[in-house]
Amino acid sequence: MNRSIALLAPLCLGLGLTLPVLAQEDEFQTVITPAFSPVTWERLINAEDEPENWMMYSGTLDSQRYSRLDQIDKSNVAELEMKWSYQIPVIDRAETVPTVVDGIMFITEAPSNLTAVDARTGRVYWRYDHELPDDLRICCGRNNRGVAILGETLFMSTLDAHLVAIDARTGNVLWDTEVADYEAGYSKTAAPLIVKDKVVTGIAGGEFGIRGFIDAYDPATGELEWRTYAIPGPGEPGNDSWSGDSWKTGGAATWITGSYDPDLNLIYWGTGNPGPDWNGDVRLGDNLYSDSALALDGDTGEIAWHFQFTPHDVHDYDSIQVPILADIEYQGSTRKVMMWANRNAFFYTIDRATGEFLEGDAYASQTWAQGLDPTGRPIRVPGMAPTYEGILVSPPIVGATNWYSPGYSQQTGLFYVTSFDGEQEFFKRDEDYEEGERFTGGGGRYNQPMDAFHSSIRAINPATAQIEWEFPIMPRSSAGITTTAGGIVFTGSADGYFFALDAATGEELWHISLGARVHAAPMTYAVDGKQFVTIASGNVVYTFGLKDD
């Protein structure tokens, strides 16, 4: 049975660590959060004006992950110290980006749980456990990356492909909607996105031959408002880009949170690889709208335009990266753009009103394409598709980057991405589709250890698509990035370091070893006039601040 677990006062042990003491199951008592101002749509539109809060997965609707907080800056970031930490009870990989509203932090936990804590101290208010079936079919880990909030209600995706609404004050379930059939391979791991009066959310499970989609739900009832499939059906434009009936099992999952432009009323969302991943012989054609950016009408979900990064992908180059929106100076005028560092190793600047390709270039090593044509379509190198014997291609299956969040600084005008220069042998195999079973058509193999390759944080000028600086990281990182008005880039590494860089130059300003892989993005907030920075590492959520006066 799903339930909210009320917690007694936690026991605090050294270094600010909070270890909650659970009440006995027959002695639960509601421990509600302190009152907070309901999170209206108006507040979400103007989220950058409340830098003390972090009210959605990427901080703001444009997904820049840029905070106006500047109490922690280049001059004092080296003085950061740990203020508190929260131990996630279920041992698993933490990919959460907490949400903070008026001094209350909401932390999602693997596999599909949610906890509310005091953002000042880490003291637990309540915890919600979502019970999961034993026969889950998931691809890539028991992950949950965050929540959305509207009013006093939190919205969370679950691994069994449900969308759950939870009272933010008490942790009680308000409604629980089954989005898709988990037994067919559908699952959900990403934070939803609030758009006006709707909860917009994607779906995972591309390695199981699903048909991807983007949904919008009524926040009060959990009823489906609209659904837009990432693969067009018969009679719809683009269906003829799939041979035969291959569209039915074509993948194109939508498993990371998108962005929204209120002025254009457009939702921007990335789609994943076509299925089967590595054997394209059974799905000839461009395979729309896999590996694409979709611009959807915020009211109806109708596709306004699309941009396909990798037509007929056979290397698993998902385009599920978080799209960053900004207005930049481009060739003498201000343009509304979408910036995208793709898993396929190319960076793109695209007009977000029309989908027009503006700039693009490789930002990491790649051998599969000669470059991009004037429309942004890749010019392929012949003979680089997977074979039965195997062929060496760069970037590898994990990509030049992946799902982890990039960042953008309004101060520098630079785009920041965690990048990887690697290569891998790609194989294909013949495989029949069976519902609920993996449907990948191949795989990959490294010929060298991971630390033989180059990994770095790269700063890219979106007006030129050129790299301005890079900061080497070894080994490969899978951490997201956050920037601040203090001139700082915060991120982490696979070997457990959390660190700060100068946003203008890439100079290292501070670091600390947390002892476990950073597999999430940092976020920053303020309470009582004090700025904090939070990051998940291993199975712990750490919060840092400046030394007290």
Side-chain angles (χ1 to χ4, degrees), residues 428-472:
K428 73 175 181 180
R429 63 172 177 265
D430 297 324
E431 194 169 87
D432 293 326
Y433 170 75
E434 182 178 347
E435 184 176 274
E437 301 299 326
R438 291 177 70 92
F439 183 55
T440 58
R445 179 178 65 197
Y446 284 104
N447 292 328
Q448 300 182 65
M450 193 72 75
D451 59 7
F453 304 114
H454 182 68
S455 184
S456 62
I457 304 298
R458 290 187 170 126
I460 300 172
N461 183 339
T464 63
Q466 298 305 298
I467 298 170
E468 297 290 322
W469 57 254
E470 71 169 44
F471 179 81

Side-chain angles (χ1 to χ4, degrees), residues 346-368:
F346 285 91
F347 172 84
Y348 303 78
T349 299
I350 298 168
D351 186 305
R352 71 175 184 270
T354 65
E356 177 190 359
F357 170 73
L358 300 178
E359 293 288 340
D361 206 348
Y363 69 92
S365 64
Q366 64 83 27
T367 59
W368 69 277

